Amino acid sequence: MENTKLIALLKTLDDKTIKRFADFVQSPFFNKNKTIIRFCEVVLSFYPKFEPAKINREKLFKKIYPDKAFHSGTWHNLISDVMALFESFLQQINLELLPVDAELYLVNQLIYRKDYKTAEKKLLQLHQNLTTEHQPDAHTYYNQLKINIGLCQIYLATSAFEKYSKIVQNNLQTVALLNWNLSMETKMQALNLLQVARHTPIDLTVLNQIITTFNPNEATTNNNPNLLAYYYGIAMMEQPNWQNYGLLKQTYELYKSVFTWNIKLNINTLLSNYLKQMQFKQPLTPVLPEELFKLYLEAYPDMVAMQGHIPANLFDNIVLEGQKLRSKNWVLQFIAENIKYWPNPATQQAYQLFAQGRLLLAQGELHEAIALLANAEPFIENG
């Protein structure tokens, strides 16, 4: 049984969630099957290791059905029933992570039972909560669309046609915002794919038609910096030049305090990659190396948030640019403070050694670098 999907999924649960699953199984509202309760009592007692010798299916069958000989059909049916219950549990805990969806399910039930007053009150409260979100995105507009659909049902059922008309008008704007968000996100994904697999055929005609209806000046007044980021990001990917760099950089500086880390990171990567390319083509003016270095420093907290550590190339870039624009002591302090983000001591030692070697080479201290890298075994072992 150790190789079943059920055991693989149970291993992903932390202590708190495994206890919640045990309680879920015991709840008569969700489960009345006493055999499933007994199965879970036995199997969950072997959490978290679920050692193969202890969860052998014949042994488990004997504990659950002490008076029966092992029967594969009975066993498979039981596993299937437990798996179905476990999936219901995952759905339940997922609703807790999506409070808007959970509330909308409740509203649908209220509308079905013709409690329009309570349903309207809850939908208007949801609308209020969405309008005060830190930064609206495609998910926000999708939720707003579902709220509006619910309000339309209520106002049609209660003949509140003036309210209905206002909601329909609001829906037009919401649909436009949702389409722009999804279209721009999808186009950026497509452009990224084309950079990796240039011969992959992707027809962007429909997306381009939708995006051409977007006016970046209106987005500023309607408080949609995400759309501006996507719009100028696409322009930068399709036509990398100083004008588009300036527009994207301006958007980044204006709204980076409200952008999510992944949007900040995407913009940062586009900007820093362009400066890096220009650095190879022609020497940058004195202010631009500092700007590139600033982008590197702003990127690494977001990289840590996404990956749990600083990518090797970003770490290397900060070390190299830091010794040019700051000092050797600054770089050594940066290494000491940030090496902790690597996942294990061997990798930490390897990258600390490598960064210090790069620093010595950059400063022309060849013999010292060779002496240091002579002990490069950890770096070689860790790739």
Side-chain angles (χ1 to χ4, degrees):
M1 182 180 172
E2 64 274 13
N3 296 322
T4 62
K5 183 167 71 171
L6 176 63
I7 293 298
L9 288 169
L10 289 173
K11 285 181 177 179
T12 67
L13 303 185
D14 58 23
D15 292 350
K16 182 180 178 181
T17 312
I18 202 81
K19 185 178 183 305
R20 289 191 61 190
F21 177 57
D23 293 339
F24 184 86
V25 172
Q26 295 280 351
S27 169
F29 182 80
F30 296 105
N31 172 53
K32 293 181 174 67
N33 188 320
K34 292 182 179 180
T35 305
I36 291 179
I37 293 173
R38 177 58 182 157
F39 173 91
C40 290
E41 285 174 347
V42 174
V43 172
L44 297 185
S45 68
F46 300 117
Y47 171 87
K49 294 183 178 180
F50 295 109
E51 297 171 45
K54 294 181 179 179
I55 58 171
N56 174 277
R57 64 179 190 169
E58 283 80 10
K59 290 181 180 179
L60 292 176
F61 191 94
K62 191 66 179 174
K63 290 184 177 182
I64 297 161
Y65 303 102
D67 300 325
K68 293 183 180 180
F70 178 80
H71 186 272
S72 62
T74 302
W75 178 254
H76 288 306
N77 287 338
L78 176 58
I79 294 296
S80 178
D81 290 342
V82 174
M83 191 65 202
L85 186 64
F86 183 74
E87 289 173 354
S88 296
F89 171 71
L90 293 181
Q91 290 174 337
Q92 189 69 24
I93 61 174
N94 189 57
L95 275 180
E96 296 172 12
L97 301 174
L98 300 168
V100 174
D101 286 14
E103 196 74 353
L104 285 170
Y105 291 144
L106 171 59
V107 165
N108 286 337
Q109 288 297 314
L110 293 171
I111 292 174
Y112 177 74
R113 286 161 176 75
K114 295 182 172 52
D115 186 357
Y116 299 124
K117 186 175 181 180
T118 306
E120 180 188 20
K121 183 179 178 181
K122 287 186 175 294
L123 287 173
L124 292 176
Q125 184 59 57
L126 281 176
H127 171 75
Q128 180 63 31
N129 294 342
L130 285 179
T131 56
T132 56
E133 277 194 0
H134 193 50
Q135 188 52 248
D137 56 15
H139 189 65
T140 307
Y141 298 126
Y142 181 61
N143 281 334
Q144 184 61 64
L145 194 60
K146 289 189 287 186
I147 290 169
N148 287 348
I149 290 171
L151 289 171
C152 283
Q153 287 180 278
I154 293 168
Y155 296 147
L156 276 177
T158 57
S159 301
F161 297 120
E162 188 175 341
K163 288 182 178 181
Y164 175 79
S165 176
K166 288 180 180 178
I167 293 299
V168 170
Q169 184 61 44
N170 181 266
N171 256 357
L172 296 176
Q173 184 181 11
T174 303
V175 168
L177 291 167
L178 178 61
N179 278 340
W180 285 328
N181 266 272
L182 292 176
S183 298
M184 291 186 198
E185 280 187 63
T186 304
K187 184 168 182 179
M188 289 193 80
Q189 292 168 1
L191 292 174
N192 281 323
L193 177 60
L194 287 172
Q195 289 180 352
V196 178
R198 295 182 182 276
H199 301 296
T200 303
I202 300 179
D203 187 353
L204 300 176
T205 305
V206 174
L207 293 180
N208 289 335
Q209 288 173 348
I210 295 171
I211 294 169
T212 53
T213 65
F214 175 75
N215 184 336
N217 296 320
E218 287 184 8
T220 306
T221 58
N222 288 323
N223 190 30
N224 288 291
N226 281 1
L227 287 175
L228 286 175
Y230 293 140
Y231 185 80
Y232 292 128
I234 289 169
M236 192 67 185
M237 295 174 79
E238 292 186 316
Q239 293 182 309
N241 56 46
W242 287 113
Q243 179 181 355
N244 286 331
Y245 174 89
L247 291 168
L248 185 59
K249 182 68 163 55
Q250 182 183 42
T251 303
Y252 178 73
E253 293 298 339
L254 280 173
Y255 301 111
K256 63 184 176 183
S257 63
V258 297
F259 282 143
T260 57
W261 59 263
N262 56 322
I263 291 180
K264 276 196 300 178
L265 193 55
N266 285 336
I267 300 174
N268 187 297
T269 301
L270 287 171
L271 295 173
S272 56
N273 283 349
Y274 182 72
L275 287 180
K276 197 74 175 175
Q277 290 168 8
M278 291 299 101
Q279 199 172 38
F280 288 125
K281 291 182 180 180
Q282 61 188 49
L284 298 178
T285 58
V287 70
L288 290 178
E290 184 67 39
E291 189 169 309
L292 178 61
F293 185 57
K294 181 184 175 185
L295 287 169
Y296 287 152
L297 291 179
E298 290 180 348
Y300 90 81
D302 295 323
M303 280 293 191
V304 170
M306 180 174 72
Q307 299 183 4
H309 63 82
I310 307 173
N313 62 331
L314 180 59
F315 191 77
D316 191 33
N317 284 334
I318 292 175
V319 168
L320 287 176
E321 298 300 325
Q323 61 87 23
K324 296 175 190 174
L325 300 170
R326 297 296 184 268
S327 66
K328 178 180 178 180
N329 287 338
W330 184 95
V331 173
L332 291 173
Q333 184 178 350
F334 173 81
I335 294 170
E337 289 177 355
N338 293 282
I339 206 73
K340 63 186 178 186
Y341 292 119
W342 292 96
N344 59 66
T347 309
Q348 291 175 10
Q349 182 185 358
Y351 274 95
Q352 187 167 21
L353 184 69
F354 178 67
Q356 290 171 345
R358 290 281 271 166
L359 179 59
L360 290 170
L361 285 171
Q363 294 181 323
E365 299 176 19
L366 182 60
H367 295 295
E368 291 84 350
I370 291 172
L372 180 69
L373 295 175
N375 186 28
E377 204 170 312
F379 178 74
I380 295 170
E381 289 176 355
N382 287 280

